[in-house]
């Protein structure tokens, strides 16, 4: 048997790539000439001037809008800064409403009250020295001594009423009454005795009229004193009533 002959490796220079590399290459000048001929054969279209102008206008509008927005933001920021830095002054308080004077309301005058519904007025109680002349009004004078009451009238005559002759009981509260007058009125006086807490003496006249008498006493509260008052023609006969300081009635006399 004949041995196989060894295989001969292919020649690298005999591959297709090697064949291509070995092919002749055109000169550079020929290539340039070919491109130039192709370029001369191409007819250029018209320049798009309107599209360029339109694109330019769009860009200008965008730039203007951006600048305007930037300006607005800048002004707004500046105003905000000024407002923030400007001190806020408090507004003055509103003026007070003008005072309106109250409307006067007419009311009917109350009816005059009679002595029955008027509270008794406190009688003025006066401490006098023995022999001190007291002007009792309308020409009358009265004074006290240790033995009793003395008085004179407009005519000048003198009267006396004893407080120590035993005709009065100094241990029992009571009152005496003397009166002198005419059609224009009367002067009333008397003694009160039997109490050291005499408060007032009232003369009760016609129509519930009340006259409060004036009281006179000597110093040291001897247990008796003198009272006097004037009445008018309309008072009629009067009744003297003795009260203590608490307002309790101690004694009274019939009207005369």
């Amino acid at each position: 048997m004949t041995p196989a002959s060894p295989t001969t490796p292919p020649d690298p220079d005999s591959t297709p790539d090697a064949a291509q590399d070995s092919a002749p290459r055109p000169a550079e000048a020929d290539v340039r000439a070919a491109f130039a001929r192709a370029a001369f054969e191409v007819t250029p279209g018209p320049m798009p001037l309107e599209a360029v102008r339109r694109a330019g206008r769009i860009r200008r509008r965008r730039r203007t809008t951006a600048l305007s927005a930037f300006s607005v933001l800048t002004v707004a920021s500046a105003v905000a800064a000024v407002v923030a830095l400007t001190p806020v002054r408090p507004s003055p308080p509103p003026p007070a409403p003008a005072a309106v004077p109250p409307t006067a309301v007419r009311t009917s005058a109350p009816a005059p009250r009679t002595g029955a519904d008027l509270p008794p007025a406190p009688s003025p109680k006066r401490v006098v020295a023995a022999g001190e002349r007291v002007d009792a009004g309308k020409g009358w004078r009265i004074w006290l001594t240790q033995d009793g009451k003395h008085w004179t009238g407009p005519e000048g005559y003198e009267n006396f009423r004893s407080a120590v002759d035993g005709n009065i009981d100094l241990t029992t509260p009571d009152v005496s009454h003397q009166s002198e007058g005419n059609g224009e009125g009367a002067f009333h006086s008397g003694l009160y005795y039997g109490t050291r807490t005499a408060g007032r003496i009232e003369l009760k006249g016609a129509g519930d009229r009340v006259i409060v008498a004036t009281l006179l006493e000597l110093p040291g509260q001897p247990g008796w004193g003198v009272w006097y008052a004037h009445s008018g023609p309309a008072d009629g006969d009067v009744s003297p009533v003795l009260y203590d300081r608490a307002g309790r009635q101690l004694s009274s006399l019939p009207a005369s």
Side-chain angles (χ1 to χ4, degrees), residues 151-172:
W151 74 99
T152 60
E155 292 83 5
Y157 58 86
E158 183 176 336
N159 294 283
F160 172 70
R161 181 72 170 88
S162 176
V164 294
D165 61 359
N167 290 326
I168 60 175
D169 184 2
L170 296 179
T171 63
T172 302

Side-chain angles (χ1 to χ4, degrees), residues 53-94:
R53 294 192 188 97
R54 185 167 53 252
R57 286 196 295 269
I58 292 173
R59 283 194 294 271
R60 282 196 298 273
R61 281 199 297 269
R62 289 177 180 174
R63 186 164 52 250
T64 301
T65 303
L67 290 175
S68 300
F70 179 75
S71 300
V72 170
L73 291 176
T74 303
V75 172
S77 301
V79 171
V82 171
V83 171
L85 295 176
T86 302
V88 179
R89 295 182 179 178
S91 57

